[in-house]
Amino acid sequence: MAASPGPAGVGGAGAVYGSGSSGFALDSGLEIKTRSVEQTLLPLVSQITTLINHKDNTKKSDKTLQAIQRVGQAVNLAVGRFVKVGEAIANENWDLKEEINIACIEAKQAGETIAALTDITNLNHLESDGQITIFTDKTGVIKAARLLLSSVTKVLLLADRVVIKQIITSRNKVLATMERLEKVNSFQEFVQIFSQFGNEMVEFAHLSGDRQNDLKDEKKKAKMAAARAVLEKCTMMLLTASKTCLRHPNCESAHKNKEGVFDRMKVALDKVIEIVTDCKPNGETDISSISIFTGIKEFKMNIEALRENLYFQSKENLSVTLEVILERTEDFTDSAYTSHEHRERILELSTQARMELQQLISVWIQAQSKKTKSIAEGLELSILKISHSLNELKKELHSTATQLAADLLKYHADHVVLKALKLTGVEGNLEALAEYACKLSEQKEQLVETCRLLRHISGTEPLEITCIHAEETFQVTGQQIISAAETLTLHPSSKIAKENLDVFCEAWESQISDMSTLLREINDFNVLLFKIILIFLLSQKNNANLKSLKPDKPDSEEQAKIAKLGLKLGLLTSDADCEIEKWEDQENEIVQYGRNMSSMAYSLYLFTRGEGPLKTSQDLIHQLEVFAAEGLKLTASVQAFSKQLKDDDKLMLLLEINKLIPLCHQLQTVTKTSLQNKVFLKVDKCITKTRSMMALLVQLLSLCYKLLKKLQMENNRWVSVTNKDTMDGKT
């Protein structure tokens, strides 16, 4: 996604940024240990859940009891590995050593307690039928599990503090070396210091890349990606700009060029630390507040809240909010690049929105003094009208910005101005330099303004952040290209000055390419959003009264979430189909139910894209009801199959079934629950449940296939042995 800007690598230390953390030769022991801590947590959770999920007074055979004991021992062993990792981190970080060691001791005690409570030798009381009752002290197991998870969480939090500290330390080393590079006066000294700087940048890139991959907040991840993209490009720029300065120490444009690179790198380094430590300097405001789409989303939430509370806010606040939104549309209407038709349409829709707000306020005042059915319906109609106008305004702004961006990218695809600047520099033509520098400045302003318009209609915070990154990059790089071209024009025979100009031109071309990708993703997102809005409007079209016409709020975040869930659902159907293809007996009941569920899940995936046979939310709900019923049929078939298995295999399979059955019932409940006008919320819940069921289906199909193969092999051995005994008897 464009939310993770990764321009083309430029070689040297900068090339490590483009592929995240996977491209590094350098790896710190602490990061390996920290990842190991997290990896050991996953099997712990699974094993503890298995233990606690056993019912009280459940009688099991001795063989099954041995399997449970092995789970308890596995938990203890995993805890042991976890503790070793934690202690290793503690030994390398004296300021946190005591806290980490205490948490490790608690984890160790909890693991030993779980092992002891599941030990067969401690369960000597046999029942009259020769079977043993498991977990006479289940409370003790739960208490130990809670202590274990609490101590594990403490260690992870402390390890996270260690990683943050390490990133800050790495940044400080980079800054210190950069200060030395700024003051260097000889090539020999520069080569030596830059070599050290390269190693430090690789380490910082590694640490920040791992952190970026671990971030759950998409907005922070996009900010981190943007900052790292700057560092990637600027590292190579720093090399050539510094060498040019050393070669031409009295050239003012060369010094200006170098200083611009240093300044931008320092800002990017600070931005990474700001994200890592989760703090905003000098009370910085959230960038999302400047987006028109974000403003419209908040405004619609406010007017829709009037349905539940007529005194939710004042009329003045609502009017001010709309005026702020419409003022921002001046970025479109005041632009010299906006066509006359688009400008007129935007102004028309803005006027219409103002008029409809006045009508809404008039009905709103009446509704506060009189509560009649006709006034309530009038309020509802006013809300629907202004919402529709704002949706039309969004479409018009989207069309204006994307059309302008597409035309601009097409016009500048051949980079004529950059080629002319390079030729001018080699020729030493100062007069031509001024002409083409002016043309590049004009192109830069066009691109910056276009990025600003795209930011307004991007639809999601990650895409918005990427627009801001592109805007800043064009603004800074454009000026740096001009100063680099000036240096070459003043020293036309300088190879390093020519190389320096080439590097900055490549960065510009790379950003143009990234902008094309960004435009495509904004287009894809908004087209998908408009499709889903249309689907939900169609789902309401047969309703008779205004109350049932209250639309859900298909805002960009909800849409993004549903689209993401839909994509994951589509991938899971592919996994399920792959598992089904392994079965030789395609008529097997388990295979048939699995194939039906996969087919229905794929229809749901198409629905999230505005495609396929499901056209309305009612179609979707009906499909989900059938899907849940098919899931219960599958569990019945798997239970029947489990009766053929031995105790250990049977227990393993039943544990998986016991996860699927509740999900089927929960999905049935959600489909029958009336969420009134929260259509998007209902769809979100349904698709989330469906995705969880599909993930379990993939696991079940794989497990059943393996157990069936194992059963067939055992049966073949038994037949072989029986035949041999029969032959021996005849002999």
Side-chain angles (χ1 to χ4, degrees):
M1 269 198 68
S4 301
V10 291
V16 301
Y17 279 90
S19 56
S21 60
S22 61
F24 297 90
L26 179 67
D27 198 354
S28 84
L30 173 61
E31 288 175 67
I32 294 174
K33 294 183 180 72
T34 305
R35 286 196 294 274
S36 298
V37 168
E38 295 170 350
Q39 289 164 1
T40 54
L41 178 64
L42 296 175
L44 281 177
V45 173
S46 175
Q47 291 159 356
I48 292 169
T49 303
T50 303
L51 288 172
I52 294 177
N53 278 346
H54 276 276
K55 297 177 182 177
D56 291 324
N57 303 320
T58 302
K59 295 180 180 179
K60 298 290 181 184
S61 67
D62 184 62
K63 196 168 186 180
T64 301
L65 186 58
Q66 288 176 1
I68 299 302
Q69 180 182 6
R70 287 197 296 272
V71 174
Q73 291 171 343
V75 170
N76 194 29
L77 287 172
V79 171
R81 291 192 294 272
F82 178 90
V83 167
K84 284 181 181 178
V85 173
E87 289 172 345
I89 294 173
N91 290 333
E92 294 176 10
N93 298 273
W94 289 90
D95 53 334
L96 298 175
K97 183 173 182 179
E98 185 177 353
E99 291 180 78
I100 295 176
N101 281 337
I102 290 172
C104 287
I105 291 169
E106 290 177 354
K108 188 176 181 181
Q109 290 173 346
E112 290 172 350
T113 301
I114 290 172
L117 291 174
T118 55
D119 190 350
I120 292 179
T121 57
N122 294 334
L123 302 173
N124 296 321
H125 43 286
L126 288 174
E127 300 292 332
S128 57
D129 57 1
Q131 292 185 320
I132 299 174
T133 302
I134 301 176
F135 293 152
T136 53
D137 186 16
K138 187 173 181 180
T139 303
V141 174
I142 294 173
K143 186 177 179 181
R146 285 175 178 165
L147 176 62
L148 176 59
L149 293 176
S150 172
S151 56
V152 163
T153 302
K154 286 179 187 176
V155 174
L156 288 174
L157 290 173
L158 291 167
D160 191 60
R161 282 169 57 185
V162 171
V163 172
I164 291 173
K165 178 184 172 184
Q166 193 173 39
I167 292 173
I168 293 172
T169 302
S170 177
R171 188 279 306 260
N172 292 340
K173 285 196 297 184
V174 169
L175 282 177
T177 307
M178 282 176 67
E179 286 182 12
R180 293 172 61 199
L181 280 172
E182 283 185 277
K183 299 172 184 176
V184 73
N185 292 316
S186 69
F187 267 107
Q188 185 176 358
E189 185 184 4
F190 172 78
V191 170
Q192 183 181 358
I193 297 174
F194 193 84
S195 176
Q196 177 188 341
F197 172 75
N199 290 331
E200 289 169 353
M201 283 298 292
V202 168
E203 180 186 359
F204 184 78
H206 189 181
L207 293 170
S208 59
D210 284 339
R211 192 67 178 182
Q212 179 183 327
N213 292 335
D214 292 338
L215 288 171
K216 301 296 185 289
D217 187 325
E218 293 296 327
K219 184 177 173 182
K220 288 182 180 178
K221 188 174 285 191
K223 285 184 177 181
M224 179 74 88
R228 295 179 74 245
V230 171
L231 293 171
E232 175 195 2
K233 289 180 178 177
C234 284
T235 302
M236 191 60 185
M237 293 176 183
L238 185 65
L239 174 62
T240 57
S242 297
K243 286 166 68 176
T244 304
C245 252
L246 288 170
R247 182 61 57 87
H248 309 288
N250 298 321
C251 183
E252 185 180 344
S253 59
H255 283 282
K256 183 179 178 182
N257 189 246
K258 185 185 82 167
E259 287 166 7
V261 179
F262 273 103
D263 290 343
R264 195 157 191 234
M265 288 191 77
K266 289 173 184 176
V267 170
L269 288 166
D270 288 343
K271 180 64 69 176
V272 170
I273 300 305
E274 175 192 326
I275 297 163
V276 167
T277 56
D278 200 20
C279 65
K280 294 179 181 178
N282 305 320
E284 178 187 319
T285 56
D286 199 320
I287 58 158
S288 64
S289 62
I290 61 176
S291 162
I292 293 176
F293 273 28
T294 300
I296 290 176
K297 170 189 165 185
E298 292 172 357
F299 180 81
K300 288 172 68 177
M301 287 173 63
N302 289 337
I303 61 171
E304 286 163 2
L306 296 176
R307 294 185 178 116
E308 309 298 331
N309 183 359
L310 291 173
Y311 303 92
F312 175 70
Q313 62 180 324
S314 69
K315 290 85 179 170
E316 294 75 17
N317 285 345
L318 210 55
S319 297
V320 168
T321 303
L322 181 62
E323 283 306 315
V324 170
I325 293 169
L326 298 182
E327 280 177 16
R328 291 173 189 162
T329 63
E330 291 174 5
D331 285 347
F332 290 78
T333 55
D334 291 351
S335 172
Y337 311 112
T338 301
S339 70
H340 177 72
E341 291 77 12
H342 281 305
R343 183 179 292 106
E344 288 298 312
R345 180 64 176 152
I346 292 168
L347 291 171
E348 179 188 333
L349 289 168
S350 298
T351 302
Q352 186 176 333
R354 285 191 182 96
M355 291 172 57
E356 285 169 355
L357 178 60
Q358 291 307 312
Q359 178 63 28
L360 171 63
I361 290 174
S362 176
V363 179
W364 181 10
I365 293 171
Q366 293 179 45
Q368 286 179 329
S369 57
K370 300 177 185 178
K371 293 186 178 179
T372 65
K373 184 178 180 182
S374 61
I375 292 177
E377 289 179 349
L379 179 65
E380 179 62 32
L381 185 59
S382 295
I383 291 172
L384 291 174
K385 279 185 175 180
I386 193 168
S387 293
H388 175 72
S389 290
L390 291 173
N391 284 336
E392 289 300 306
L393 178 60
K394 284 174 67 175
K395 286 183 183 179
E396 189 63 31
L397 296 175
H398 172 265
S399 174
T400 303
T402 53
Q403 183 178 324
L404 176 60
D407 292 344
L408 189 61
L409 290 170
K410 185 178 180 181
Y411 183 73
H412 294 299
D414 51 5
H415 305 294
V416 172
V417 177
L418 296 184
K419 293 172 182 175
L421 278 171
K422 291 179 185 179
L423 183 60
T424 298
V426 173
E427 293 174 347
N429 189 337
L430 288 170
E431 186 177 338
L433 169 68
E435 178 188 346
Y436 289 113
C438 185
K439 287 185 177 180
L440 184 67
S441 294
E442 183 181 340
Q443 182 179 335
K444 177 194 71 176
E445 291 306 318
Q446 283 182 312
L447 288 164
V448 166
E449 189 167 322
T450 304
C451 289
R452 191 174 299 124
L453 300 186
L454 288 175
R455 179 181 66 195
H456 278 307
I457 59 98
S458 55
T460 69
E461 286 182 329
L463 287 174
E464 189 179 331
I465 289 163
T466 309
C467 290
I468 292 173
H469 165 71
E471 183 182 337
E472 292 172 349
T473 301
F474 284 126
Q475 190 72 265
V476 175
T477 309
Q479 193 55 48
Q480 288 176 318
I481 289 174
I482 292 171
S483 60
E486 184 180 342
T487 303
L488 178 58
T489 308
L490 293 171
H491 307 278
S493 60
S494 173
K495 290 183 179 179
I496 184 58
K498 183 178 182 304
E499 181 186 349
N500 186 50
L501 178 58
D502 287 341
V503 167
F504 282 94
C505 288
E506 286 171 10
W508 179 276
E509 292 169 9
S510 173
Q511 190 57 55
I512 290 283
S513 176
D514 289 345
M515 188 176 172
S516 298
T517 304
L518 173 62
L519 176 61
R520 185 171 63 251
E521 293 182 354
I522 289 174
N523 255 326
D524 290 347
F525 176 82
N526 282 289
V527 168
L528 184 54
L529 176 60
F530 296 143
K531 275 187 179 180
I532 291 192
I533 290 173
L534 179 61
I535 288 171
F536 284 96
L537 289 175
L538 286 171
S539 73
Q540 303 290 339
K541 70 179 180 179
N542 295 321
N543 293 336
N545 54 57
L546 278 170
K547 287 185 178 179
S548 65
L549 280 171
K550 296 177 185 177
D552 192 20
K553 296 179 296 222
D555 62 59
S556 57
E557 289 181 11
E558 289 175 329
Q559 149 57 21
K561 185 177 180 183
I562 288 178
K564 192 173 181 181
L565 285 171
L567 179 59
K568 291 179 179 178
L569 190 60
L571 294 172
L572 284 169
T573 61
S574 298
D575 293 340
D577 292 342
C578 289
E579 291 297 334
I580 288 170
E581 287 175 6
K582 294 179 184 177
W583 291 65
E584 295 172 6
D585 181 10
Q586 290 291 308
E587 300 303 316
N588 185 295
E589 273 193 354
I590 295 174
V591 172
Q592 289 180 355
Y593 291 133
R595 187 186 295 112
N596 292 344
M597 290 177 71
S598 179
S599 176
M600 284 185 276
Y602 188 74
S603 295
L604 300 179
Y605 157 68
L606 291 177
F607 176 82
T608 64
R609 297 181 58 83
E611 303 169 5
L614 307 178
K615 301 300 181 185
T616 69
S617 56
Q618 288 306 313
D619 293 343
L620 174 70
I621 298 303
H622 176 69
Q623 181 85 303
L624 289 166
E625 289 171 349
V626 179
F627 181 82
E630 208 73 3
L632 290 172
K633 292 177 185 177
L634 172 73
T635 58
S637 294
V638 175
Q639 283 174 332
F641 169 63
S642 70
K643 294 176 182 178
Q644 305 174 46
L645 305 174
K646 294 183 178 179
D647 286 347
D648 288 357
D649 293 340
K650 183 178 180 180
L651 173 63
M652 183 165 46
L653 190 55
L654 290 176
L655 282 173
E656 292 301 313
I657 298 173
N658 289 338
K659 295 176 187 175
L660 182 58
I661 292 174
L663 283 174
C664 294
H665 290 309
Q666 288 168 18
L667 182 58
Q668 287 178 327
T669 302
V670 173
T671 57
K672 292 173 183 175
T673 302
S674 173
L675 293 178
Q676 294 181 343
N677 307 305
K678 304 287 185 180
V679 184
F680 261 78
L681 178 61
K682 187 169 183 175
V683 172
D684 178 25
K685 285 187 175 183
C686 287
I687 295 179
T688 300
K689 294 290 181 191
T690 306
R691 196 189 117 203
S692 300
M693 288 173 64
M694 283 301 298
L696 280 172
L697 172 65
V698 173
Q699 294 176 22
L700 264 176
L701 288 170
S702 176
L703 182 58
C704 287
Y705 177 75
K706 290 174 184 175
L707 294 176
L708 179 63
K709 285 292 182 183
K710 181 179 178 182
L711 184 64
Q712 289 172 344
M713 288 175 64
E714 289 173 351
N715 289 341
N716 288 340
R717 281 199 212 99
W718 185 84
V719 170
S720 177
V721 170
T722 303
N723 290 341
K724 184 176 183 301
D725 290 344
T726 303
M727 292 297 293
D728 290 344
K730 288 181 180 179
T731 303

